[in-house]
C-alpha cells in the first residue's frame, strides 16, 4: 500500500511538471517572425520601394512643362523708322489642353496602384511561406521529440530482452528484432535532425537573416479551427485577393490611358511674349524713337496625324480587355484553388477527430494489452513491437495532421488576402497521449 501511494504521488508530480512544461512551450513566436519578414525580407522591401518610386511619377506628369526663354541677335541690324533693331528676347509657355495633365496623373497613380497590389501579393505569399516553414519546423521538432522517446523505450526494451536471453527466458531472434527496431529509430532521428538545418535556413531567408541564425519553434502544435463560412471565404477572395486587385488596377490604368489618348486629339496652346531691342534712330527724331516693340503670340499644334492617336486609343482598349479577361481567368483558377484547400482543411479536420477520438486511444490500449500478453507468453516480441510501432506512427501522423491543418489556414489567408478568424482548440497531443514509457518499462520487467 505504501509503494502504491508513493507511486501515485510521483505520477501526480510528473503530470503537473508535464502540464507546466507544455504551457511554457506554447509560447507563440510566429508573430515575431512575421514582423521580421515584413521588415527585412529583401523581395518584399524591393516591391514596396518600387511602389513608392512609382507614386513620385504623378507630380512629374501633372505639372506644366517648363516655360521657354528665347533670345536672338540680328547679325545685320534691321533698320526701321524708329531705329535699328539689334536683338530680340521673349518668354513662352505651353499649356496642354484642359484635362490632359489630370488624365496623365491618373495614369501614373493607377500604375503605382498596380505595383502596390503586386507588393501586397508578395507580402501575402511571404507571410504564407513563413507560416508554412514555421509549422513544418514545429512538426519536425515534435517528430524528433517523439522519436527520442521511442529510442529511449526501445533501448530499455533491448536491454531487458538481452537480460532475459542471458537467463534463457527469451529467444535470440527477439534480441535481433529489438536491435533492428532500435537502429531504425536512431537512423530516423538522425535524418530528422539533419532536416532541421535546411528548414531553418529557409525560414531565416524569408526573414532576411543569415541562414544559420537560431530560431525558436514551439514543439507543441496547437489545433486551429476556422470561425468563418466557406461562402464568406469566397466573397473575400473576390474582393480582397491581391492578384485580383492587381487586375482591377490594370483595368483602371487602361481606362485612364484611353482618356489620355482621346485628349491628344485636341491641340495644346502656347502663349508667348516677345520684345525687340531697338536703338535710337540715326537721323531725325521720329515719334517713338528707339522704343522696343512688344509682341504677344498664341500658337497651337495641329493634331493632324491621326494614325498615331487612333493607335493609342486602340492600345488602351486592348489593355483594358486583356486586364478584364485576365482577371476572370485568374479568378477561376483561384476559386478552384480555394475549393481544393478547403477540401484539404476539412479532410484534416476529419482526420484529427479520428485520431483523437478513436485511433490513438485504441492504439494505446492495444499496446497495453499486447504488453500484458507478451509478459504471459501469449504473443511473441514481434507482436508487441508491431503494436508499439503502430501507436508511434499514429501519434506522429496526428502531429502531421495538426501541422498540415495550420498550413492550410495559412494558404487560405493568402488566397483571401486577409488574416482569418480562428479558434485554438485543445489538442491532447502534448501530454495525454505521450508514449507510456514508464508503464511499459515497469510491465516489461
Amino acid at each position: 500500500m505504501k509503494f502504491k501511494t508513493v507511486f501515485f504521488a510521483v505520477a501526480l508530480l510528473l503530470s503537473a511538471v508535464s502540464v507546466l512544461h507544455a504551457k511554457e512551450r506554447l509560447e507563440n513566436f510566429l508573430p515575431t517572425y512575421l514582423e521580421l519578414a515584413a521588415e527585412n525580407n529583401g523581395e518584399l522591401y524591393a516591391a514596396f520601394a518600387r511602389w513608392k518610386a512609382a507614386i513620385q511619377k504623378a507630380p512629374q506628369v501633372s505639372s506644366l512643362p517648363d516655360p521657354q526663354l528665347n533670345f536672338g541677335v540680328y547679325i545685320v541690324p534691321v533698320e526701321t523708322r524708329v531705329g535699328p533693331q539689334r536683338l530680340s528676347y521673349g518668354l513662352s509657355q505651353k499649356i496642354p489642353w484642359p484635362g490632359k495633365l489630370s488624365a496623365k496623373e491618373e495614369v501614373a497613380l493607377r500604375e503605382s496602384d498596380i505595383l502596390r497590389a503586386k507588393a501586397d501579393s508578395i507580402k501575402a505569399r511571404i507571410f504564407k511561406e513563413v507560416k508554412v516553414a514555421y509549422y513544418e519546423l514545429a512538426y519536425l521538432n515534435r517528430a524528433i521529440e517523439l522519436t527520442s522517446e521511442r529510442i529511449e523505450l526501445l533501448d530499455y526494451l533491448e536491454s531487458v530482452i538481452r537480460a532475459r536471453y542471458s537467463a534463457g527466458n527469451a529467444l535470440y531472434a527477439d534480441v535481433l528484432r529489438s536491435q533492428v527496431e532500435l537502429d531504425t529509430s536512431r537512423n530516423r532521428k538522425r535524418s530528422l535532425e539533419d532536416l532541421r538545418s535546411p528548414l531553418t535556413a529557409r525560414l531565416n531567408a524569408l526573414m532576411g537573416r543569415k541562414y544559420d541564425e537560431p530560431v525558436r519553434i514551439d514543439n507543441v502544435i496547437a489545433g486551429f479551427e476556422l470561425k468563418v463560412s466557406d461562402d464568406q471565404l469566397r466573397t473575400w477572395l473576390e474582393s480582397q485577393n491581391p492578384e485580383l486587385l492587381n487586375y482591377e488596377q490594370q483595368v483602371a490604368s487602361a481606362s485612364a490611358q484611353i482618356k489620355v489618348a482621346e485628349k491628344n486629339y485636341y491641340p495644346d496652346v502656347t502663349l508667348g511674349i516677345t520684345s525687340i531691342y531697338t536703338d535710337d534712330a540715326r537721323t531725325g527724331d521720329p515719334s517713338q524713337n528707339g522704343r522696343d516693340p512688344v509682341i504677344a503670340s498664341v500658337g497651337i499644334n495641329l493634331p493632324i496625324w491621326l494614325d498615331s492617336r487612333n493607335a493609342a486609343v486602340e492600345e488602351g482598349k486592348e489593355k483594358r480587355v486583356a486586364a478584364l479577361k485576365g482577371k476572370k481567368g485568374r479568378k477561376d483558377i483561384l476559386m478552384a484553388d480555394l475549393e481544393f484547400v478547403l477540401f484539404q482543411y476539412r479532410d484534416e479536420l476529419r482526420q484529427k477527430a479520428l485520431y483523437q477520438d478513436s485511433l490513438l486511444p485504441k492504439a494505446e490500449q492495444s499496446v497495453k494489452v499486447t504488453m500484458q500478453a507478451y509478459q504471459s507468453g501469449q504473443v511473441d516480441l514481434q507482436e508487441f513491437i508491431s503494436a508499439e510501432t503502430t501507436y508511434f506512427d499514429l501519434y506522429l501522423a496526428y502531429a502531421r495532421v495538426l501541422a498540415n491543418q495550420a498550413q492550410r489556414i495559412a494558404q487560405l489567408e493568402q488566397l483571401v488576402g486577409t488574416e482569418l478568424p480562428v479558434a485554438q482548440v485543445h489538442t491532447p497531443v502534448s501530454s495525454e497521449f505521450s508514449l507510456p514509457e514508464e508503464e511499459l518499462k515497469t510491465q516489461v520487467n
Side-chain angles (χ1 to χ4, degrees):
M1 178 66 69
K2 183 177 180 181
F3 174 80
K4 289 184 178 179
T5 303
V6 173
F7 179 82
F8 182 70
V10 171
L12 285 178
L13 179 61
L14 290 174
S15 176
V17 172
S18 175
V19 170
L20 290 175
H21 181 57
K23 289 182 179 179
E24 179 183 358
R25 293 185 303 171
L26 279 174
E27 183 179 357
N28 188 6
F29 304 103
L30 183 57
T32 301
Y33 294 157
L34 291 174
E35 184 177 349
L36 287 172
E39 294 175 354
N40 302 326
N41 184 276
E43 182 184 5
L44 184 58
Y45 190 94
F48 276 98
R50 285 191 291 270
W51 164 60
K52 291 179 181 179
I55 292 177
Q56 302 308 316
K57 191 174 181 180
Q60 299 177 46
V61 300
S62 61
S63 300
L64 286 172
D66 293 333
Q68 186 173 0
L69 178 64
N70 303 306
F71 184 81
V73 177
Y74 292 98
I75 297 176
V76 178
V78 178
E79 292 291 341
T80 66
R81 182 183 63 84
V82 296
Q85 296 177 340
R86 298 187 177 279
L87 55 89
S88 66
Y89 53 90
L91 188 67
S92 62
Q93 174 67 62
K94 183 178 180 180
I95 301 176
W97 189 266
K100 275 189 179 181
L101 294 181
S102 60
K104 290 180 178 179
E105 181 183 28
E106 185 179 358
V107 171
L109 291 175
R110 296 293 79 78
E111 292 292 336
S112 69
D113 289 340
I114 291 173
L115 292 177
R116 174 56 191 265
K118 288 182 179 178
D120 288 338
S121 180
I122 292 173
K123 178 182 176 182
R125 173 175 57 81
I126 288 174
F127 274 27
K128 183 264 293 183
E129 291 178 358
V130 168
K131 293 177 181 179
V132 168
Y134 179 88
Y135 290 122
E136 195 64 29
L137 273 169
Y139 165 74
L140 180 66
N141 286 347
R142 188 59 180 152
I144 292 173
E145 186 178 65
L146 289 173
T147 306
S148 298
E149 292 179 10
R150 187 167 192 251
I151 289 172
E152 182 182 351
L153 173 63
L154 290 173
D155 187 53
Y156 182 85
L157 181 62
E158 192 267 344
S159 65
V160 171
I161 300 301
R162 278 192 289 107
R164 295 181 65 177
Y165 170 72
S166 300
N169 296 325
L171 300 175
Y172 184 62
D174 291 342
V175 177
L176 292 178
R177 289 193 191 100
S178 63
Q179 290 175 345
V180 168
E181 288 295 326
L182 182 58
D183 290 341
T184 301
S185 294
R186 285 172 176 166
N187 180 66
R188 177 185 290 186
K189 181 182 178 182
R190 284 192 292 267
S191 296
L192 291 172
E193 289 174 337
D194 196 33
L195 181 58
R196 181 183 280 128
S197 178
L199 291 181
T200 300
R202 173 62 177 165
L203 182 56
N204 277 323
L206 292 167
M207 296 187 292
R209 304 198 306 180
K210 191 178 177 182
Y211 74 95
D212 58 352
E213 285 282 331
V215 295
R216 299 179 65 187
I217 304 291
D218 190 7
N219 288 357
V220 177
I221 307 172
F224 298 102
E225 289 188 9
L226 288 173
K227 293 300 179 181
V228 61
S229 67
D230 293 356
D231 288 338
Q232 183 63 61
L233 291 176
R234 297 183 186 98
T235 300
W236 283 344
L237 186 147
E238 291 183 4
S239 62
Q240 298 179 180
N241 180 273
E243 293 185 62
L244 298 184
L245 292 177
N246 185 330
Y247 279 109
E248 288 182 7
Q249 296 304 330
Q250 291 182 41
V251 172
S253 176
S255 299
Q257 289 180 41
I258 295 172
K259 186 177 180 181
V260 170
E262 290 173 343
K263 291 289 184 181
N264 285 333
Y265 285 106
Y266 300 95
D268 298 328
V269 179
T270 301
L271 303 178
I273 186 168
T274 303
S275 181
I276 301 175
Y277 176 76
T278 306
D279 279 343
D280 293 336
R282 295 180 180 180
T283 60
D285 185 19
S287 61
Q288 297 183 350
N289 183 24
R291 180 174 295 182
D292 298 339
V294 177
I295 305 169
S297 63
V298 177
I300 62 171
N301 65 304
L302 300 177
I304 61 175
W305 311 119
L306 298 181
D307 288 347
S308 62
R309 290 169 172 80
N310 293 338
V313 173
E314 290 302 317
E315 178 188 5
K317 290 180 179 179
E318 291 300 327
K319 285 184 176 180
R320 188 172 186 275
V321 171
L324 288 170
K325 295 298 183 181
K327 178 185 176 182
K328 181 183 182 305
R330 189 57 186 155
K331 175 186 170 183
D332 293 341
I333 296 296
L334 290 173
M335 279 294 185
D337 291 344
L338 177 66
E339 293 303 317
F340 184 67
V341 176
L342 281 173
F343 155 73
Q344 292 176 310
Y345 170 76
R346 291 191 298 266
D347 187 58
E348 281 145 10
L349 274 181
R350 289 189 290 267
Q351 291 184 50
K352 184 178 73 171
L354 179 64
Y355 282 116
Q356 283 184 196
D357 302 335
S358 179
L359 297 183
L360 281 174
K362 290 178 180 177
E364 184 177 10
Q365 185 179 8
S366 175
V367 170
K368 295 178 180 178
V369 171
T370 307
M371 182 167 45
Q372 294 170 356
Y374 174 70
Q375 276 192 307
S376 62
Q378 297 177 9
V379 299
D380 58 12
L381 179 65
Q382 185 64 32
E383 290 291 331
F384 170 69
I385 291 179
S386 177
E388 187 273 336
T389 300
T390 299
Y391 180 73
F392 169 79
D393 290 341
L394 289 173
Y395 198 97
L396 198 59
Y398 179 57
R400 178 73 267 176
V401 166
L402 292 177
N404 287 347
Q405 188 181 20
Q407 292 171 339
R408 297 293 173 260
I409 293 176
Q411 290 177 307
L412 290 172
E413 289 177 337
Q414 180 190 13
L415 286 169
V416 302
T418 186
E419 188 173 356
L420 296 176
V422 297
Q424 182 173 328
V425 297
H426 173 66
T427 54
V429 70
S430 62
S431 56
E432 292 179 25
F433 289 109
S434 60
L435 291 172
E437 298 175 32
E438 296 300 327
E439 187 175 357
L440 287 174
K441 290 178 182 179
T442 302
Q443 295 194 28
V444 167
N445 268 320

